[in-house]
Amino acid sequence: EAARRSSVSDVGHPLQPSIERIIALKPDLIVGSAEMHGRLRDSASRIAPTLLIEQMDWKRQYRLLADITGNGDKAQAALEGYERRVAAIRARVPATPVSVVRVRPGGFHVYLDGPSAYAPYAVLQEAGVKRTAYETTSDGGILKRPDWEEISALTGDILLYVVVSGFDPAPDDALAASTVANPLWKMLPAVAAGRAHRVDRATWMGFHGIASAHRVLDDVERFVLKAP
């Protein structure tokens, strides 16, 4: 609903956007992901000048998109507000270890705290949230793929989990229900203590900039700062 009010148009599947819908929008510029949309470059370039962005730090990408669209000053002000908020949270965040996991069909993804952390986890890092040793790296690693046996390494006092069954969110609730009913899940310290919290997939797996960063901080305030 918010997207419609902002005149945001649906151009189809994230990996296979509809060229027909894009043509109908008559864009002056097309911006996409080099990783996801590289094979569409030639088709898109026939419609409008096309810029495909390589993977980079989320704040750098945010500034780049703002400069491209003539919103550099607004972006700078927004980032300064974010920096103030994250500093205030960092000053209050406890040393309590926090585990974070993505539940997916057939297993799990653990996005790591490290130099190449995926954007939501980079925000956690900036906010001073401590992850467990299993979830932390000093190299360029981004994620681990534990199975049911290996998730016992998620020993954080608080557990945040995001359920993503695929691009279609419809099966997510069923996957969540089967996961939390598993005895191995119930053995995790945070689950046993009643401190496991499901978080929003749009924020944690569809991160898109400053608004997502603030939603991550909302979760930190809600589940980490206010933890019993």
Side-chain angles (χ1 to χ4, degrees):
E1 181 62 34
R4 285 194 292 271
R5 289 198 303 268
S6 300
S7 301
V8 175
S9 299
D10 181 0
V11 294
H13 193 284
L15 295 178
Q16 297 176 324
S18 167
I19 293 298
E20 291 76 14
R21 293 185 193 180
I22 294 173
I23 291 172
L25 292 171
K26 300 179 180 178
D28 295 316
L29 174 68
I30 297 172
V31 180
S33 162
E35 180 181 2
M36 297 173 63
H37 307 125
R39 61 186 181 78
L40 300 175
R41 183 191 300 271
D42 290 344
S43 298
S45 296
R46 297 189 188 101
I47 302 169
T50 298
L51 173 64
L52 299 185
I53 300 175
E54 299 287 346
Q55 186 69 31
M56 64 180 69
D57 169 83
W58 75 267
K59 285 186 278 190
R60 182 182 169 202
Q61 179 171 313
Y62 183 70
R63 290 189 181 96
L64 174 60
L65 291 172
D67 288 341
I68 290 169
T69 57
N71 291 293
D73 290 343
K74 291 181 180 178
Q76 183 59 33
L79 284 169
E80 288 173 359
Y82 163 80
E83 297 292 353
R84 288 192 295 272
R85 185 183 181 194
V86 83
I89 290 174
R90 188 167 57 245
R92 298 164 53 210
V93 77
T96 303
V98 176
S99 288
V100 192
V101 64
R102 170 190 169 183
V103 179
R104 62 185 185 89
F108 304 91
H109 281 169
V110 171
Y111 289 86
L112 302 177
D113 179 343
S116 301
Y118 171 45
Y121 304 90
V123 173
L124 284 185
Q125 187 182 90
E126 285 195 307
V129 174
K130 308 301 182 187
R131 306 279 297 283
T132 67
Y134 176 80
E135 301 165 69
T136 305
T137 183
S138 58
D139 60 23
I142 297 175
L143 65 83
K144 292 179 178 178
R145 297 179 173 86
D147 57 18
W148 272 106
E149 299 296 330
E150 197 177 346
I151 65 163
S152 62
L154 301 177
T155 56
D157 291 352
I158 299 166
L159 174 68
L160 306 181
Y161 66 98
V162 57
V163 181
V164 183
S165 54
F167 279 109
D168 180 4
D172 285 358
D173 288 345
L175 177 59
S178 64
T179 299
V180 302
N182 191 295
L184 293 174
W185 180 267
K186 294 179 180 180
M187 290 174 63
L188 296 176
V191 175
R195 292 194 291 266
H197 309 284
R198 183 177 171 183
V199 293
D200 179 50
R201 62 176 277 161
T203 298
W204 289 83
M205 291 308 302
F207 191 99
H208 61 270
I210 199 77
S212 294
H214 278 292
R215 291 188 184 105
V216 171
L217 295 181
D218 289 343
D219 285 341
V220 173
E221 290 184 330
R222 184 180 304 118
F223 300 126
V224 180
L225 294 188
K226 297 180 181 178

